[in-house]
Amino acid sequence: MATAVADTEIKEVLNQLGVEPENSGASTGSHWFTTRGEKIDSYSPVDGNLIASVHAATASEYEACILKAQEAFKEWRLMPAPKRGEIVRQLGNKLREYKEPLGKLVSYEMGKSYQEGLGEVQEMIDICDFAVGLSRQLDGSTLQSERPAHRMYDQYQPLGVVGIISAFNFPVAVWSWNTALAWICGDVCIWKPSEKTPLTAVACQKITNEVFQENNVPEGVSNLIIGDAEIGKLMSNDKRVPLVSATGSTRMGRAVAEAVGKRLGKSLLELGGNNAVIITPSADLELVIPGVVFGAVGTAGQRCTSTRRLIIHESIYDKVKDILVKAYNQIKIGNPLDENNHMGPLIDKDAVAMYTSAIEKVKAKGGNMLVEGKVLEGEGYESGCYVSPSIAEAQNEWEIVQHETFAPLLYIMKYTGDVSNAIAIQNGVDQGLSSAIFTNNIRESELFLSAAGSDCGIANVNIGTSGAEIGGAFGGEKDTGGGRESGSDAWKIYMRRQTNTINYSTELPLAQGIKFEF
């Protein structure tokens, strides 16, 4: 049973974060626009209550943000990268101060568990820490010139205005993955968050403003623009935004990629996932079950890395199936701010309708519902957004299985023969984000990680599909979009590459030995 959330508790959180009952949806740093666009009411999926409202930004406010960002870029790009890193370090510390209330707002507005909300803020802190070190390592390469007394090297320069379109399921972390790196690279950012989670965005902008004002950062380095898809279209078609980083559905990503590509801009796309876990005969089931259950029901199945498909060897299929069903019967569903619960609500009633529709489609294909999810009713579930999770025996080629259902619906299927057959099933979908194998056979694990193995951007051994670390580049292939964010050398997408040649001789030799005399 869900537990009611005290109004006083949420009011105190909003007060700590500076979120008002009605908020402007557009900001260029500390300047918040006073014009009033359409009002967006943010209702919590936890209890159905109105949290607060935001007035959507207009096209004119978008234009004002872009102009301010361009102006700020001229100054920001000239600040030494370690100095920019120092400001990002302070932002990480400020997030540590606000970790509890911001994590609670993430949980209450989005519906994920409080521990996951805190974890999301921790991701923001971690990427700030990563970016601080990176600010002293934005390196290039020294190259060997074929011409005598010449030096050649390549270096990276900031792009300019980076547009960020983020999704509701990670309402703050994905923004920080982009901004922390873009800022230390010398870029300025304009952020369009999901309309489903606008208040967390307002809170993040206000936290950032505190740090930026203390450091006299020019207005326009951090910009917020809350609005509908039209704002995203303006950004995608705007030549003044050389890079658009977009997280969301494959359908949305295609539209962004087409618009940005048409103007020869750059896009960083983090789109749909249809992630599978392979269970081999040698797998340690003590690791498998918690890894699979968290991957499938964590965030109510609303992670792009959520486990959607479980591919089990026929020799252990029935055993794994029985253990999994028992585990699902122990899942506690309710108020995500109650840390005794494993799973909170879906984001809204539209998501609930999509989930129940998917279950009916599975049943229509003849899928065996081992655990059939339903909409939960009664005390504590008044928001209408709570559901129980599902497990269905299904075939990989079914259309509904090929489609990503953003909900706690897990498909299980068996494979025969060696692990290459399981890998073929795993790869047999359009998406290519995250993948995992549980095995104690080194040959199987190495095959899974080889060129003949997983075709996903993330491939894990003996851990689940969900839960990436900041240090690794995050992203996927195929319909997932090919983008990479966060760690490793993902910073390079936020910069333009430049090759430099310096002649320190008294002659002018040409490349390839060409002679040009007159």
Side-chain angles (χ1 to χ4, degrees), residues 232-340:
K233 289 178 182 178
L234 287 173
M235 187 182 295
S236 299
N237 286 285
D238 195 337
K239 286 186 176 182
R240 297 167 296 179
V241 183
L243 170 65
V244 177
S245 175
T247 302
S249 68
T250 298
R251 177 188 57 78
M252 179 276 288
R254 284 200 176 100
V256 170
E258 182 179 358
V260 176
K262 193 174 292 183
R263 59 179 174 85
L264 299 181
K266 298 169 69 175
S267 57
L268 193 170
L269 303 175
E270 298 290 357
L271 311 176
N274 197 345
N275 316 296
V277 173
I278 296 171
I279 311 299
T280 71
S282 68
D284 183 346
L285 298 187
E286 293 294 320
L287 301 179
V288 167
I289 300 305
V292 169
V293 174
F294 174 72
V297 308
T299 324
Q302 296 172 115
R303 291 185 175 215
C304 51
T305 55
S306 290
T307 304
R308 310 290 179 199
R309 298 172 296 140
L310 194 57
I311 306 165
I312 311 167
H313 191 269
E314 60 178 349
S315 65
I316 57 170
Y317 181 82
D318 289 336
K319 181 179 181 179
V320 173
K321 179 175 69 173
D322 292 343
I323 296 173
L324 198 59
V325 170
K326 289 178 183 177
Y328 265 54
N329 289 331
Q330 299 174 44
I331 293 171
K332 296 177 181 177
I333 306 164
N335 173 12
L337 295 177
D338 181 346
E339 296 184 49
N340 292 314

Side-chain angles (χ1 to χ4, degrees), residues 145-160:
S145 174
E146 67 183 53
R147 291 170 283 187
H150 280 59
R151 183 164 70 89
M152 185 163 60
Y153 66 95
D154 61 17
Q155 64 177 340
Y156 291 85
Q157 305 283 14
L159 282 173

Side-chain angles (χ1 to χ4, degrees), residues 416-429:
T416 59
D418 64 28
V419 74
S420 61
N421 294 328
I423 293 172
I425 295 172
Q426 179 209 275
N427 293 346
V429 294

Side-chain angles (χ1 to χ4, degrees), residues 30 75-76 79-80 82-94 183 207-219 221:
S30 61
E75 182 177 346
W76 182 247
M79 181 183 291
K83 298 294 185 184
R84 297 192 296 256
E86 164 58 19
I87 295 169
V88 171
R89 184 192 68 79
Q90 293 177 38
L91 176 59
N93 285 342
K94 189 69 71 174
W183 284 333
I207 292 170
T208 303
N209 289 344
E210 283 189 43
V211 176
F212 280 19
Q213 283 184 285
E214 291 167 2
N215 288 274
N216 296 314
V217 173
E219 299 279 12
V221 173

Side-chain angles (χ1 to χ4, degrees), residues 85 103 169 198 207 226 260 317 343 369 384-385 398-399 433 457 483 487 511:
N169 59 332
I207 292 170
I226 300 172
V260 176
Y317 181 82
M343 186 177 126
M369 300 299 300
C385 297
W398 291 353
E399 182 180 356
L433 179 51

